Amino acid sequence: DTAVSQTPKYLVTQMGNDKSIKCEQNLGHDTMYWYKQDSKKFLKIMFSYNNKELIINETVPNRFSPKSPDKAHLNLHINSLELGDSAVYFCASSQGRRLAEAFFGQGTRLTVV
Amino acid sequence: DAKTTQPTSMDCAEGRAANLPCNHSTISGNEYVYWYRQIHSQGPQYIIHGLKNNETNEMASLIITEDRKSSTLILPHATLRDTAVYYCIVRNQAGTALIFGKGTTLSVSS
């Protein structure tokens, strides 16, 4: 079983569209994260939820809205997609806020055309 | 959080030990040193972490200097599958997220 799974793995869409990326973890963790990796390969934290509560919200445009329906899921919805949103998005989870073993998903490669 | 400095890239022959250095001269007493790696097109993977003492697990060893201003990740017998970007991260364990730097690109060749 995959510990942290993201869907879709690839997403190609046109500018201006709205899209969602789903993330699910089956590790029983209570903290989940979204990271963005741009073309220069920098990994940047975007959001973090602990027990469904938003605890990190970095400087991210309002077009990005995370939603956590339960502890096992953290979805990322993006409105009015722009070319600059093209990147690989990684979901991760950990137990509490312990950082020793954060598990990452395989990533979603978003391409905006 | 303390900033880390790593070489941009390193090469290693297959079967040899890979020693990846990391400088964290501004580390504070309650900050841990974590290592993650990212193999091409995959999500980052946890390797090891430590506070003061040297640590070893099935993947690697972590050597932290006595003054804690630097550390070395050791892959004892590097394989081609160890080719990846290795990130050294210093973080208070109560911190809320991992902050990744540029990392070291390790290339293992036969």
Side-chain angles (χ1 to χ4, degrees), chain A residues 2-112:
Chain A
T2 303
V4 181
S5 60
Q6 299 178 225
T7 53
K9 188 172 181 180
Y10 299 97
L11 182 56
V12 181
T13 187
Q14 290 187 325
M15 285 175 56
N17 284 351
D18 303 338
K19 290 293 179 185
S20 292
I21 305 172
K22 296 185 177 181
C23 179
E24 175 182 6
Q25 54 95 2
N26 63 5
L27 299 166
H29 290 166
D30 59 5
T31 303
M32 297 185 71
Y33 312 82
W34 276 110
Y35 282 82
K36 177 182 179 180
Q37 188 166 40
D38 59 24
S39 58
K40 295 183 179 179
K41 304 297 184 185
F42 290 120
L43 266 164
K44 296 180 182 177
I45 180 71
M46 299 174 69
F47 302 103
S48 176
Y49 272 73
N50 176 257
N51 284 317
K52 297 170 54 180
E53 178 186 352
L54 181 65
I55 56 173
I56 292 178
N57 185 352
E58 292 296 313
T59 306
V60 176
N62 291 336
R63 300 180 294 101
F64 290 78
S65 54
K67 292 208 169 33
S68 182
D70 54 58
K71 288 195 304 184
H73 296 84
L74 181 61
N75 303 323
L76 183 64
H77 188 75
I78 315 170
N79 290 325
S80 303
L81 279 155
E82 301 177 357
L83 294 177
D85 298 331
S86 296
V88 181
Y89 292 85
F90 288 100
C91 176
S93 74
S94 65
Q95 180 53 35
R97 297 181 183 185
R98 291 183 62 215
L99 303 178
E101 291 184 78
F103 289 81
F104 285 76
Q106 290 302 295
T108 296
R109 181 174 294 279
L110 171 65
T111 303
V112 183

Side-chain angles (χ1 to χ4, degrees), chain B residues 9-110:
Chain B
S9 62
M10 294 184 66
D11 295 319
C12 180
E14 190 177 21
R16 304 298 294 268
N19 299 299
L20 292 90
C22 179
N23 286 324
H24 31 79
S25 58
T26 60
I27 193 170
S28 61
N30 62 351
E31 289 182 315
Y32 287 70
V33 180
Y34 296 86
W35 283 85
Y36 278 72
R37 73 180 182 183
Q38 186 175 22
I39 296 171
H40 181 62
S41 298
Q42 297 183 21
Q45 176 190 23
Y46 166 79
I47 301 173
I48 200 167
H49 79 289
L51 181 63
K52 294 181 187 178
N53 300 321
N54 298 337
E55 302 287 345
T56 295
N57 62 21
E58 64 279 3
M59 289 182 68
S61 295
L62 174 60
I63 308 298
I64 303 175
T65 58
E66 194 169 339
D67 63 8
R68 303 211 321 125
K69 293 185 176 182
S70 65
S71 60
T72 301
L73 177 74
I74 301 172
L75 308 178
H77 305 287
T79 70
L80 298 178
R81 288 178 290 183
D82 292 321
T83 292
V85 179
Y86 287 77
Y87 297 97
C88 170
I89 303 166
V90 173
R91 190 71 180 178
N92 183 320
Q93 199 171 37
T96 51
L98 294 160
I99 306 299
F100 290 83
K102 299 180 182 179
T104 296
T105 299
L106 174 68
S107 299
V108 181
S109 56
S110 57

